[in-house]
PDB file of all heavy atoms in Angstrom:
ATOM      1  N   TYR A 186      73.928-100.825 -32.598  1.00 93.00           N
ATOM      2  CA  TYR A 186      74.079 -99.588 -33.545  1.00 93.00           C
ATOM      3  C   TYR A 186      75.157 -99.821 -34.511  1.00 93.00           C
ATOM      4  O   TYR A 186      75.391 -98.920 -35.383  1.00 93.00           O
ATOM      5  CB  TYR A 186      74.334 -98.340 -32.687  1.00 93.00           C
ATOM      6  CG  TYR A 186      73.154 -98.065 -31.770  1.00 93.00           C
ATOM      7  CD1 TYR A 186      73.188 -98.486 -30.470  1.00 93.00           C
ATOM      8  CD2 TYR A 186      72.118 -97.210 -32.179  1.00 93.00           C
ATOM      9  CE1 TYR A 186      72.089 -98.156 -29.625  1.00 93.00           C
ATOM     10  CE2 TYR A 186      71.070 -96.938 -31.400  1.00 93.00           C
ATOM     11  CZ  TYR A 186      71.029 -97.350 -30.170  1.00 93.00           C
ATOM     12  OH  TYR A 186      69.953 -97.006 -29.322  1.00 93.00           O
ATOM     13  N   GLY A 187      75.949-100.869 -34.395  1.00 93.00           N
ATOM     14  CA  GLY A 187      77.028-101.103 -35.410  1.00 93.00           C
ATOM     15  C   GLY A 187      78.252-100.267 -35.317  1.00 93.00           C
ATOM     16  O   GLY A 187      79.037-100.170 -36.211  1.00 93.00           O
ATOM     17  N   PHE A 188      78.454 -99.709 -34.093  1.00 95.00           N
ATOM     18  CA  PHE A 188      79.735 -98.991 -33.867  1.00 95.00           C
ATOM     19  C   PHE A 188      80.980 -99.821 -33.935  1.00 95.00           C
ATOM     20  O   PHE A 188      80.835-101.018 -33.507  1.00 95.00           O
ATOM     21  CB  PHE A 188      79.635 -98.314 -32.470  1.00 95.00           C
ATOM     22  CG  PHE A 188      78.975 -96.964 -32.505  1.00 95.00           C
ATOM     23  CD1 PHE A 188      77.623 -96.914 -32.652  1.00 95.00           C
ATOM     24  CD2 PHE A 188      79.668 -95.828 -32.153  1.00 95.00           C
ATOM     25  CE1 PHE A 188      76.971 -95.710 -32.503  1.00 95.00           C
ATOM     26  CE2 PHE A 188      78.975 -94.590 -32.094  1.00 95.00           C
ATOM     27  CZ  PHE A 188      77.637 -94.492 -32.256  1.00 95.00           C
ATOM     28  N   GLU A 189      82.049 -99.282 -34.441  1.00 95.00           N
ATOM     29  CA  GLU A 189      83.387 -99.902 -34.248  1.00 95.00           C
ATOM     30  C   GLU A 189      83.942 -99.310 -32.888  1.00 95.00           C
ATOM     31  O   GLU A 189      84.119 -98.144 -32.823  1.00 95.00           O
ATOM     32  CB  GLU A 189      84.271 -99.597 -35.357  1.00 95.00           C
ATOM     33  CG  GLU A 189      83.825-100.278 -36.676  1.00 95.00           C
ATOM     34  CD  GLU A 189      84.893-100.049 -37.812  1.00 95.00           C
ATOM     35  OE1 GLU A 189      85.964 -99.561 -37.517  1.00 95.00           O
ATOM     36  OE2 GLU A 189      84.550-100.396 -38.934  1.00 95.00           O
ATOM     37  N   THR A 190      84.255-100.216 -31.979  1.00 96.00           N
ATOM     38  CA  THR A 190      84.534 -99.733 -30.592  1.00 96.00           C
ATOM     39  C   THR A 190      85.970-100.064 -30.211  1.00 96.00           C
ATOM     40  O   THR A 190      86.576-101.098 -30.673  1.00 96.00           O
ATOM     41  CB  THR A 190      83.588-100.364 -29.540  1.00 96.00           C
ATOM     42  OG1 THR A 190      83.703-101.760 -29.508  1.00 96.00           O
ATOM     43  CG2 THR A 190      82.140-100.013 -29.908  1.00 96.00           C
ATOM     44  N   GLU A 191      86.626 -99.220 -29.356  1.00 96.00           N
ATOM     45  CA  GLU A 191      87.880 -99.467 -28.843  1.00 96.00           C
ATOM     46  C   GLU A 191      87.894 -99.037 -27.306  1.00 96.00           C
ATOM     47  O   GLU A 191      87.406 -97.886 -27.072  1.00 96.00           O
ATOM     48  CB  GLU A 191      88.949 -98.740 -29.575  1.00 96.00           C
ATOM     49  CG  GLU A 191      90.369 -99.037 -29.032  1.00 96.00           C
ATOM     50  CD  GLU A 191      91.473 -98.346 -29.813  1.00 96.00           C
ATOM     51  OE1 GLU A 191      91.090 -97.628 -30.808  1.00 96.00           O
ATOM     52  OE2 GLU A 191      92.629 -98.549 -29.540  1.00 96.00           O
ATOM     53  N   ILE A 192      88.335 -99.935 -26.450  1.00 96.00           N
ATOM     54  CA  ILE A 192      88.405 -99.618 -25.011  1.00 96.00           C
ATOM     55  C   ILE A 192      89.798 -99.489 -24.569  1.00 96.00           C
ATOM     56  O   ILE A 192      90.625-100.413 -24.852  1.00 96.00           O
ATOM     57  CB  ILE A 192      87.630-100.703 -24.237  1.00 96.00           C
ATOM     58  CG1 ILE A 192      86.161-100.805 -24.653  1.00 96.00           C
ATOM     59  CG2 ILE A 192      87.694-100.381 -22.704  1.00 96.00           C
ATOM     60  CD1 ILE A 192      85.435-101.953 -24.023  1.00 96.00           C
ATOM     61  N   VAL A 193      90.113 -98.463 -23.854  1.00 96.00           N
ATOM     62  CA  VAL A 193      91.424 -98.201 -23.224  1.00 96.00           C
ATOM     63  C   VAL A 193      91.294 -98.307 -21.730  1.00 96.00           C
ATOM     64  O   VAL A 193      90.697 -97.439 -21.089  1.00 96.00           O
ATOM     65  CB  VAL A 193      92.107 -96.952 -23.625  1.00 96.00           C
ATOM     66  CG1 VAL A 193      93.526 -96.727 -23.030  1.00 96.00           C
ATOM     67  CG2 VAL A 193      92.080 -96.734 -25.130  1.00 96.00           C
ATOM     68  N   GLU A 194      91.803 -99.483 -21.052  1.00 96.00           N
ATOM     69  CA  GLU A 194      91.627 -99.584 -19.708  1.00 96.00           C
ATOM     70  C   GLU A 194      92.701 -99.032 -18.901  1.00 96.00           C
ATOM     71  O   GLU A 194      93.958 -99.264 -19.239  1.00 96.00           O
ATOM     72  CB  GLU A 194      91.411-101.175 -19.468  1.00 96.00           C
ATOM     73  CG  GLU A 194      90.249-101.779 -19.985  1.00 96.00           C
ATOM     74  CD  GLU A 194      90.142-103.255 -19.659  1.00 96.00           C
ATOM     75  OE1 GLU A 194      90.847-103.680 -18.755  1.00 96.00           O
ATOM     76  OE2 GLU A 194      89.297-103.952 -20.219  1.00 96.00           O
ATOM     77  N   ASN A 195      92.418 -98.324 -17.767  1.00 96.00           N
ATOM     78  CA  ASN A 195      93.391 -97.793 -16.870  1.00 96.00           C
ATOM     79  C   ASN A 195      94.527 -97.117 -17.524  1.00 96.00           C
ATOM     80  O   ASN A 195      95.676 -97.452 -17.244  1.00 96.00           O
ATOM     81  CB  ASN A 195      93.893 -99.086 -15.969  1.00 96.00           C
ATOM     82  CG  ASN A 195      92.745 -99.608 -15.134  1.00 96.00           C
ATOM     83  OD1 ASN A 195      91.955 -98.944 -14.398  1.00 96.00           O
ATOM     84  ND2 ASN A 195      92.622-100.917 -15.311  1.00 96.00           N
ATOM     85  N   PRO A 196      94.243 -96.149 -18.354  1.00 95.00           N
ATOM     86  CA  PRO A 196      95.370 -95.453 -19.028  1.00 95.00           C
ATOM     87  C   PRO A 196      96.049 -94.516 -18.140  1.00 95.00           C
ATOM     88  O   PRO A 196      95.452 -93.804 -17.285  1.00 95.00           O
ATOM     89  CB  PRO A 196      94.651 -94.781 -20.185  1.00 95.00           C
ATOM     90  CG  PRO A 196      93.288 -94.541 -19.542  1.00 95.00           C
ATOM     91  CD  PRO A 196      92.918 -95.625 -18.771  1.00 95.00           C
ATOM     92  N   ASN A 197      97.324 -94.276 -18.351  1.00 95.00           N
ATOM     93  CA  ASN A 197      97.969 -93.159 -17.636  1.00 95.00           C
ATOM     94  C   ASN A 197      97.875 -91.890 -18.588  1.00 95.00           C
ATOM     95  O   ASN A 197      97.202 -91.976 -19.660  1.00 95.00           O
ATOM     96  CB  ASN A 197      99.437 -93.483 -17.374  1.00 95.00           C
ATOM     97  CG  ASN A 197     100.274 -93.768 -18.621  1.00 95.00           C
ATOM     98  OD1 ASN A 197     100.062 -93.248 -19.678  1.00 95.00           O
ATOM     99  ND2 ASN A 197     101.241 -94.761 -18.509  1.00 95.00           N
ATOM    100  N   LEU A 198      98.417 -90.765 -18.092  1.00 95.00           N
ATOM    101  CA  LEU A 198      98.332 -89.592 -18.826  1.00 95.00           C
ATOM    102  C   LEU A 198      98.784 -89.616 -20.321  1.00 95.00           C
ATOM    103  O   LEU A 198      97.981 -89.230 -21.191  1.00 95.00           O
ATOM    104  CB  LEU A 198      99.150 -88.515 -18.060  1.00 95.00           C
ATOM    105  CG  LEU A 198      98.952 -86.988 -18.699  1.00 95.00           C
ATOM    106  CD1 LEU A 198      97.552 -86.509 -18.333  1.00 95.00           C
ATOM    107  CD2 LEU A 198     100.048 -86.122 -18.005  1.00 95.00           C
ATOM    108  N   ASP A 199      99.914 -90.202 -20.512  1.00 95.00           N
ATOM    109  CA  ASP A 199     100.426 -90.388 -21.861  1.00 95.00           C
ATOM    110  C   ASP A 199      99.600 -91.192 -22.745  1.00 95.00           C
ATOM    111  O   ASP A 199      99.375 -90.992 -23.940  1.00 95.00           O
ATOM    112  CB  ASP A 199     101.862 -90.883 -21.806  1.00 95.00           C
ATOM    113  CG  ASP A 199     102.924 -89.811 -21.363  1.00 95.00           C
ATOM    114  OD1 ASP A 199     102.504 -88.563 -21.317  1.00 95.00           O
ATOM    115  OD2 ASP A 199     103.963 -90.157 -21.040  1.00 95.00           O
ATOM    116  N   ASP A 200      99.113 -92.359 -22.101  1.00 96.00           N
ATOM    117  CA  ASP A 200      98.273 -93.271 -22.845  1.00 96.00           C
ATOM    118  C   ASP A 200      97.004 -92.564 -23.445  1.00 96.00           C
ATOM    119  O   ASP A 200      96.638 -92.808 -24.612  1.00 96.00           O
ATOM    120  CB  ASP A 200      97.801 -94.355 -21.923  1.00 96.00           C
ATOM    121  CG  ASP A 200      98.835 -95.303 -21.470  1.00 96.00           C
ATOM    122  OD1 ASP A 200      99.895 -95.367 -22.234  1.00 96.00           O
ATOM    123  OD2 ASP A 200      98.760 -95.885 -20.409  1.00 96.00           O
ATOM    124  N   VAL A 201      96.384 -91.645 -22.658  1.00 95.00           N
ATOM    125  CA  VAL A 201      95.255 -91.018 -23.115  1.00 95.00           C
ATOM    126  C   VAL A 201      95.569 -90.068 -24.373  1.00 95.00           C
ATOM    127  O   VAL A 201      94.878 -90.107 -25.353  1.00 95.00           O
ATOM    128  CB  VAL A 201      94.591 -90.159 -21.992  1.00 95.00           C
ATOM    129  CG1 VAL A 201      93.468 -89.175 -22.545  1.00 95.00           C
ATOM    130  CG2 VAL A 201      94.040 -91.040 -20.887  1.00 95.00           C
TER     131      VAL A 201
END
Side-chain angles (χ1 to χ4, degrees):
Y186 297 94
F188 274 68
E189 293 186 11
T190 64
E191 181 175 7
I192 301 172
V193 183
E194 296 184 11
N195 299 305
N197 59 35
L198 184 71
D199 288 343
D200 293 334
V201 171

